[in-house]
Amino acid sequence: MPLSAAVLSELERIVGPRGLVATPEGRMTYECDMHTFYKGAPDVVVLPETTEQVAELVRLCRREHVALVPRGSGTGLIGGAMAPLGGVMVSLTRMNRILELDFENRSATVQPGLINLWLSQATREHGYYFAPDPSSQMVSSIGGNASTNAGGPHCLKYGITVNHVLGLELVTGAGEVLRVGGKVQDQPGYDLTGALVGSEGTLGLLTAVTVRLLHEPEGVKTLLASFSTIDNASETVSAIVGAGIIPAALEMIDEVVVRAIEEGIGAGYPKGAGAVLLIELDGPMAEIDEQSARIVEMCRSRAALEIRVAKDETERTLLWKGRKEAAGVFGRLSATWLLQDAVVPRSRLPQIMREVQAIAARHRLVIANVFHAGDGNLHPLILYNDLVPGELERAKAANDELLRACLAMGGSVTGEHGVGLDKASSMPFQFGEADLAFMARFRRVLDPDGIMNPGKLLPSHPACGEAFKPAAPRLPAGTWI
């Protein structure tokens, strides 16, 4: 049911006329995140600028029983920041200030809409940086990173976002302002900060995030190694990690994506190679040199075609530009695709990559790969043409087989993108009934009326309660969820 004029008037009173987007063309801008497969425009978008405004918005929506959907920069890949049931979308892009830099305690407190990269740019001259670096870090927000527990290439060594969030301020689904954690990593009692990171707005709206800052390393060395086959590259990854070396980043890019990157960006990757590894070491220079020499030997012993060390910061930046902007060249491969984010134990990487190729052949599809090989976090991109009858169905079947293969190897349905709408129905593949029921009950504690980002993260479950009766889904017919 559309929002009443009275509710719209109340929303405008809270955020002002500049903070309200109600036109059809304006709302269409917010109908999907970067995974455009899922679409659902909100009834209205509000752009608050203070915690008080956010709390007032939540209390209004709770009173009126209206769904609330949080949104950062909209760079997610899970159908998380879209509104399948309509309702009010809360865009936090105007809450983008750094509230405090505390170098003595190696921490920073920021508003949720602050762009990830801006924090490192603000701290670098003092010798510090913020480690989580999703490929979208130039445009994604720290609040969005915390909500989805985002990762990134350098999380292999330094951990994903939850390992860097020290404290949070949020407005719960009950409209209460809650502060958890602080400026130190270890807090007594239950780890509520850990539970809230990755909750995707289902427990509340983040209004401030306190994060850990790291010292800039003494040195950095970036290597590129190319191989004729994905198999050889996968075996090299297992050898490096098995030898006890944890690079800062260890990324794999297959032939299909290398070709697209070179045509779109020109990062200097060797065209024609079956797979490329991008390996980065950081830390004391003596340690880097010793580890680098061992890695070069491992690459050579597994038939590397070429091993190159970035000669300066310009070349290193270009190599990373190719990797981090890979998502931007997907359009050169296909207008339509499905993207997985499943994980396998890294020792199973060679096995799962052979399975990926077998699944692609079985379903007569192209599956492109660019992913965090070092921690077994796959990102197979299943390309299809929705104008070809039956091709979407084959892509969905391949996607399902991939996910089940990863879980059969002891993996997870997601490594860093989160669950959203995309993986909610897949959660029972990994979790039992009792686990999901517990999560649903926990959700009800902070969101008693079920208004916070409904339909995301958890599958429909009796423990979700009966209080919230959403309107009929507005997803277009045939949408796969």
Side-chain angles (χ1 to χ4, degrees):
M1 179 183 298
L3 299 179
S4 68
V7 171
L8 288 172
S9 177
E10 275 286 282
L11 291 169
E12 184 171 334
R13 180 191 63 76
I14 294 170
V15 297
R18 283 187 61 255
L20 200 74
V21 180
T23 62
E25 61 273 21
R27 293 184 292 111
M28 188 181 294
T29 308
Y30 297 86
E31 70 174 0
C32 64
D33 59 19
M34 275 187 62
H35 198 344
T36 56
F37 191 79
Y38 303 104
K39 292 184 178 177
D43 293 308
V44 67
V45 181
V46 292
L47 297 99
E49 298 184 31
T50 66
T51 298
E52 293 70 25
Q53 288 181 344
V54 174
E56 205 169 349
L57 288 168
V58 173
R59 288 194 287 268
L60 170 64
C61 288
R62 187 183 183 199
R63 187 190 75 200
E64 299 293 331
H65 235 71
V66 173
L68 260 167
V69 178
R71 185 178 173 105
S73 296
T75 55
L77 291 161
I78 53 172
M82 41 75 72
L85 308 175
V88 175
M89 179 171 283
V90 182
S91 171
L92 295 159
T93 52
R94 289 185 180 173
M95 296 180 67
N96 61 3
R97 292 185 296 118
I98 295 174
L99 300 175
E100 182 187 19
L101 293 176
D102 183 351
F103 296 119
E104 287 189 0
N105 289 303
R106 294 196 308 157
S107 70
T109 300
V110 305
Q111 290 186 311
L114 183 79
I115 300 301
N116 176 307
L117 190 59
W118 295 358
L119 181 55
S120 291
Q121 289 173 338
T123 58
R124 186 154 289 134
E125 66 176 302
H126 301 279
Y128 292 89
Y129 74 109
F130 179 53
D133 63 334
S135 297
S136 60
Q137 74 174 139
M138 298 81 76
V139 289
S140 65
S141 66
I142 288 180
N145 297 163
S147 291
T148 57
N149 197 12
H154 292 81
C155 291
L156 170 61
K157 181 173 182 178
Y158 295 106
I160 55 180
T161 301
V162 71
N163 304 115
H164 299 270
V165 174
L166 301 173
L168 294 167
E169 177 187 85
L170 76 156
V171 178
T172 71
E176 299 168 333
V177 178
L178 178 67
R179 296 180 180 87
V180 297
K183 292 185 178 180
V184 296
Q185 186 81 50
D186 299 315
Q187 299 276 351
Y190 299 111
D191 182 13
L192 293 178
T193 307
L196 290 165
V197 173
S199 61
E200 302 180 15
T202 61
L203 304 177
L205 295 171
L206 300 182
T207 51
V209 187
T210 299
V211 300
R212 189 160 59 111
L213 298 175
L214 300 186
H215 285 291
E216 291 275 4
E218 177 187 324
V220 178
K221 182 177 283 190
T222 304
L223 299 88
L224 180 149
S226 63
F227 299 83
S228 59
T229 67
I230 289 180
D231 227 29
N232 285 346
S234 300
E235 294 287 355
T236 303
V237 171
S238 289
I240 292 170
V241 177
I245 300 174
I246 304 297
L250 180 45
E251 302 287 295
M252 188 186 296
I253 308 161
D254 77 2
E255 181 181 8
V256 177
V257 181
V258 164
R259 189 170 59 246
I261 289 173
E262 286 309 298
E263 290 172 356
I265 298 172
Y269 294 172
K271 272 186 173 179
V276 165
L277 290 181
L278 200 56
I279 309 162
E280 186 153 284
L281 299 163
D282 69 9
M285 284 308 301
E287 179 182 289
I288 291 175
D289 290 340
E290 189 270 338
Q291 291 182 338
S292 174
R294 292 170 62 196
I295 288 174
V296 167
E297 185 54 37
M298 291 178 208
C299 293
R300 283 180 177 149
S301 68
R302 286 160 183 82
L305 301 172
E306 177 192 5
I307 305 168
R308 190 197 319 162
V309 178
K311 62 181 182 296
D312 53 31
E313 185 60 25
T314 301
E315 186 176 357
R316 172 179 175 254
T317 300
L318 186 59
L319 290 175
W320 277 113
K321 178 181 173 65
R323 168 61 186 91
K324 293 210 166 191
E325 296 184 10
V329 302
F330 287 170
R332 289 179 172 270
L333 303 174
S334 171
T336 46
W337 39 264
L338 299 178
L339 178 64
Q340 264 293 351
D341 174 43
V343 180
V344 294
R346 48 191 163 217
S347 61
R348 309 296 292 272
L349 190 61
Q351 185 180 346
I352 191 64
M353 293 313 297
R354 287 192 283 272
E355 185 62 24
V356 168
Q357 294 173 74
I359 290 172
R362 271 201 299 278
H363 293 279
R364 293 173 283 121
L365 295 165
V366 173
I367 300 182
N369 295 279
V370 52
F371 63 101
H372 311 309
D375 50 14
N377 185 190
L378 312 181
H379 293 328
L381 190 74
I382 304 170
L383 312 179
Y384 69 91
N385 184 344
D386 56 3
L387 299 178
V388 177
E391 198 153 301
L392 172 60
E393 286 67 30
R394 283 189 278 123
K396 288 192 290 186
N399 192 44
D400 189 62
E401 279 186 42
L402 266 168
L403 184 62
R404 290 177 184 272
C406 291
L407 292 174
M409 293 181 192
S412 168
V413 298
T414 176
E416 59 172 350
H417 294 172
V419 177
L421 194 62
D422 186 50
K423 295 287 181 65
S425 60
S426 302
M427 291 288 273
F429 298 163
Q430 182 172 347
F431 296 99
E433 181 77 8
D435 302 318
L436 293 170
F438 180 83
M439 292 185 210
R441 285 195 292 272
F442 179 64
R443 182 170 177 167
R444 300 290 291 180
V445 171
L446 295 179
D447 178 26
D449 295 291
I451 62 171
M452 304 303 296
N453 215 3
K456 316 292 174 55
L457 191 79
L458 293 178
S460 297
H461 191 278
C464 292
E466 301 298 328
F468 181 55
K469 300 287 188 186
R474 299 181 186 181
L475 291 174
T479 298
W480 177 62
I481 60 172

